[in-house]
Amino acid sequence: MQLLRSPPDFPLPISSRSPSFEVTKKPSFLSTGSARFTKTHPNEQFTRPLTSRSSVFTRPASLQAGTPVLSVDTAKNDVLNALSQIIDPDFGTDIVSCGFVKDLNIDESLQEVSFRLELTTPACPIKDEFEKKANKVVAALPWVKNVNVTMSAQPARTAYAGELPMGLQSISNIIAVSSCKGGVGKSTVAVNLAYTLAGMGARVGIFDADVYGPSLPTMVSPENRLLEMNPATKTIIPTEYLGVKLVSFGFAGQGRAIMRGPMVSGVINQLLTTTEWGELDYLLIDMPPGTGDIQLTLCQIAPLTAAVIVTTPQKLAFIDVAKGVRMFSKLKVPCVAVVENMCYFDGDGKRYYPFGKGSGAQVVKQFGIPNLFDLPIKPTLSASGDSGMPEVVADPLSEVAKTFQNLGVCVVQQCAKIRQQVSTAVTYDKTIRAIRVKVPDSDEEFLLHPATVRRNDRSAQSVDEWTGEQKLQYGDVPEDIEPEDIRPMGNYAVSITWPDGFSQIAPYDQLQTIERLIDIQSPMSVNLDVS
């Protein structure tokens, strides 16, 4: 089937940056007064930065003499064109198109350029490279004397469009660390990953979701070991250790719980949703073992961005992990990495695998998870967990810390890709009056007629839940209806707001089954493929 395609929009800002970097060879628009652009660039937008730092680059005096004075508009376009030479290594888009350049200012008298590079996370792995390259390409302009670059990050915000508890509304990414089997080192991975991300500059929290056997009170040593409640708002104030916010049933003064499943689900819900997490870039959930009520409750109440799977080399561990991966797959939560713990040890110049090899690789191969990380059997890793200080904090230059650093970079990159894919999966193209769909992890892009999408709503307002009778009739929806807003609903659907105030939840799976547009003759005339 031939689909009509139009040039894609620029992708949204992304936070993941691989260690590579590229600068294209593009000509600059230099000092001619006739060279003007009328396009509005993303630098004109303003978002309050969370954190910032700045650097000043001064050109040698030999490059400053005899340079003509430009108009401000031409000078700004010179700078933007120079910055557009810096290409994002993951998506091949320049940083101007990505919307990173903010608050561009030209001081004509001092021939000074100042601007802010606003990344979507302070944990960007190559933020220093962006700063250096931005300084270099702008300073290369013949009329520039000084360059002042400030680095910042966007405020944390969820990509979820639904009604969220107040405590979860300012969390950018929620990551489940899961094994579905006890005793494989899942809590060790969750805690060390959290402190690795914090060391990269991110705002991080850990939620210990194991009520029956909470591990967090043993693995960290906060000064205040009891959770407190805000008497005014009746919300929970998390405790902190080395800048990471912590919540665990073990900090509630109850020790380990002895209660039935439904009560545990209620406790988990209360601890997670009524906590004052504040603005976080990453909230890591240390999932309890299993795939039962508690795990499903967590996946339902928290809009999970991704999952990290922890396993050991034994076949039995693989069997349980496979159950967990299938659970996340059904819930549309992508698994972005596998950590194989207790994999090997080195001795006498050789590497030994006492429990065999291949469990982690089998998970990666069978389920298509893109990244595998091996952790050794190391006494200090176990000892640090028992001492209350994570290994990556106790020995930040160790082999284990380097593995967690690589895992942290992977998580930042994968979460950013997921958010970028989700945010652009379903959009409305006003020029052709069609809904454009590109489901995450799919190369296919197709167009849908807005009225057709509205008529295919399967909620109780449109279809009788008991009889299946269609309450919304064909003629109830005008042919020229247009959506007012389209926002992601986690990783599985979008929320579409229509002019009559109705908010339609449209899962990706359903959108893929709706009849598609195959030809558009004019904005008011569309043909449908109804085969």
Side-chain angles (χ1 to χ4, degrees):
M1 176 174 61
Q2 182 67 35
L3 302 181
L4 178 66
R5 300 178 185 272
S6 65
D9 296 327
F10 288 134
L12 293 180
I14 52 179
S15 59
S16 70
R17 303 287 169 257
S18 65
S20 61
F21 204 87
E22 179 184 354
V23 177
T24 59
K25 303 292 184 181
K26 294 171 66 178
S28 296
F29 289 87
L30 298 177
S31 56
T32 134
S34 60
R36 297 293 182 93
F37 290 84
T38 56
K39 178 181 177 181
T40 300
H41 290 279
N43 68 288
E44 300 298 333
Q45 302 171 3
F46 175 79
T47 306
R48 179 180 59 87
L50 292 174
T51 58
S52 64
R53 57 191 175 90
S54 61
S55 61
V56 178
F57 182 93
T58 304
R59 293 175 52 80
S62 59
L63 298 180
Q64 299 170 11
T67 4
V69 178
L70 305 181
S71 70
V72 173
D73 288 342
T74 303
K76 283 188 175 183
N77 284 304
D78 282 358
V79 172
L80 290 170
N81 189 69
L83 291 172
S84 68
Q85 300 176 60
I86 304 174
I87 303 299
D88 171 79
D90 288 328
F91 294 92
T93 305
D94 66 87
I95 63 173
V96 177
S97 299
C98 283
F100 292 163
V101 183
K102 309 286 184 180
D103 305 335
L104 175 58
N105 184 60
I106 308 291
D107 190 319
E108 297 175 89
S109 59
L110 299 177
Q111 294 180 307
E112 181 176 271
V113 177
S114 62
F115 55 90
R116 179 164 55 90
L117 292 184
E118 182 185 74
L119 308 179
T120 55
T121 174
C124 173
I126 58 166
K127 52 181 176 286
D128 291 339
E129 291 295 323
F130 274 122
E131 182 178 356
K132 292 176 183 177
K133 294 296 181 181
N135 265 316
K136 182 177 179 180
V137 297
V138 175
L141 295 173
W143 55 268
V144 175
K145 180 179 179 181
N146 296 318
V147 183
N148 186 350
V149 182
T150 301
M151 304 298 293
S152 68
Q154 291 180 357
R157 60 177 182 270
T158 181
Y160 189 71
E163 292 293 331
L164 286 178
M166 185 63 66
L168 302 180
Q169 291 182 1
S170 296
I171 301 175
S172 292
N173 302 280
I174 302 179
I175 302 165
V177 180
S178 175
S179 66
C180 300
K181 181 176 179 61
V184 300
K186 168 180 50 58
S187 296
T188 298
V189 171
V191 170
N192 280 278
L193 175 58
Y195 281 91
T196 298
L197 293 171
M200 295 169 66
R203 297 155 296 183
V204 183
I206 307 175
F207 178 67
D208 183 358
D210 194 345
V211 171
Y212 293 117
S215 303
L216 202 56
T218 303
M219 304 191 73
V220 294
S221 305
E223 183 176 346
N224 183 6
R225 299 186 63 83
L226 286 176
L227 297 173
E228 298 178 358
M229 177 172 283
N230 186 328
T233 60
K234 304 298 182 183
T235 54
I236 298 170
I237 302 173
T239 187
E240 287 192 27
Y241 178 62
L242 300 178
V244 175
K245 296 183 179 181
L246 312 167
V247 171
S248 171
F249 189 74
F251 292 138
Q254 302 292 325
R256 288 166 170 78
I258 303 175
M259 60 181 73
R260 294 186 182 274
M263 294 179 63
V264 173
S265 297
V267 169
I268 291 291
N269 192 339
Q270 182 181 7
L271 285 173
L272 178 61
T273 61
T274 63
T275 293
E276 296 179 6
W277 292 108
E279 290 191 343
L280 294 181
D281 298 298
Y282 304 95
L283 173 63
L284 273 68
I285 299 183
D286 183 2
M287 300 282 284
T291 54
D293 288 344
I294 300 172
Q295 291 75 17
L296 292 174
T297 297
L298 283 166
C299 292
Q300 289 170 349
I301 64 178
L304 298 179
T305 306
V308 173
I309 305 299
V310 183
T311 186
T312 52
Q314 297 94 330
K315 182 178 179 181
L316 187 60
F318 169 78
I319 293 173
D320 286 341
V321 163
K323 297 177 185 177
V325 174
R326 292 189 183 100
M327 176 189 72
F328 286 120
S329 177
K330 289 183 178 180
L331 296 170
K332 306 298 183 185
V333 177
C335 298
V336 298
V338 175
V339 179
E340 188 171 7
N341 194 22
M342 296 179 280
C343 191
Y344 62 88
F345 69 89
D346 295 326
D348 301 326
K350 297 181 180 179
R351 178 159 291 184
Y352 299 90
Y353 296 85
F355 303 120
K357 299 168 65 176
S359 173
Q362 190 175 356
V363 175
V364 170
K365 181 178 179 181
Q366 182 168 331
F367 298 102
I369 300 173
N371 303 285
L372 174 63
F373 300 89
D374 295 335
L375 288 175
I377 301 172
K378 191 175 180 183
T380 57
L381 183 57
S382 175
S384 64
D386 295 335
S387 69
M389 180 175 289
E391 169 77 357
V392 297
V393 176
D395 189 0
L397 300 179
S398 67
E399 178 187 359
V400 169
K402 291 178 182 177
T403 301
F404 276 108
Q405 183 72 24
N406 293 333
L407 175 61
V409 170
C410 167
V411 168
V412 169
Q413 291 177 334
Q414 294 298 322
C415 286
K417 288 180 181 179
I418 291 167
R419 286 174 62 90
Q420 192 271 342
Q421 289 174 347
V422 167
S423 63
T424 58
V426 182
T427 57
Y428 181 60
D429 191 332
K430 291 186 178 181
T431 60
I432 57 176
R433 296 188 182 178
I435 294 176
R436 189 180 301 277
V437 181
K438 189 177 186 300
V439 176
D441 297 325
S442 172
D443 294 330
E444 182 185 27
E445 183 181 278
F446 54 90
L447 301 174
L448 300 176
H449 189 21
T452 304
V453 174
R454 178 67 179 86
R455 289 170 182 142
N456 276 272
D457 175 56
R458 308 306 298 168
S459 70
Q461 289 184 257
S462 302
V463 179
D464 189 289
E465 293 181 282
W466 296 101
T467 66
E469 180 185 356
Q470 186 74 34
K471 295 193 291 185
L472 179 69
Q473 300 302 312
Y474 187 95
D476 295 338
V477 179
E479 283 295 318
D480 60 351
I481 192 171
E482 297 183 78
E484 291 188 342
D485 185 40
I486 300 178
R487 296 182 60 196
M489 290 278 297
N491 299 321
Y492 72 97
V494 290
S495 172
I496 306 176
T497 303
W498 299 99
D500 58 3
F502 178 70
S503 182
Q504 177 182 355
I505 306 302
Y508 297 146
D509 292 345
Q510 182 192 10
L511 292 176
Q512 289 177 303
T513 65
I514 297 176
E515 51 267 68
R516 304 175 181 182
L517 296 171
I518 59 172
D519 183 33
I520 296 183
Q521 299 171 345
S522 69
M524 295 300 294
S525 174
V526 294
N527 293 330
L528 298 179
D529 175 14
V530 293
S531 58

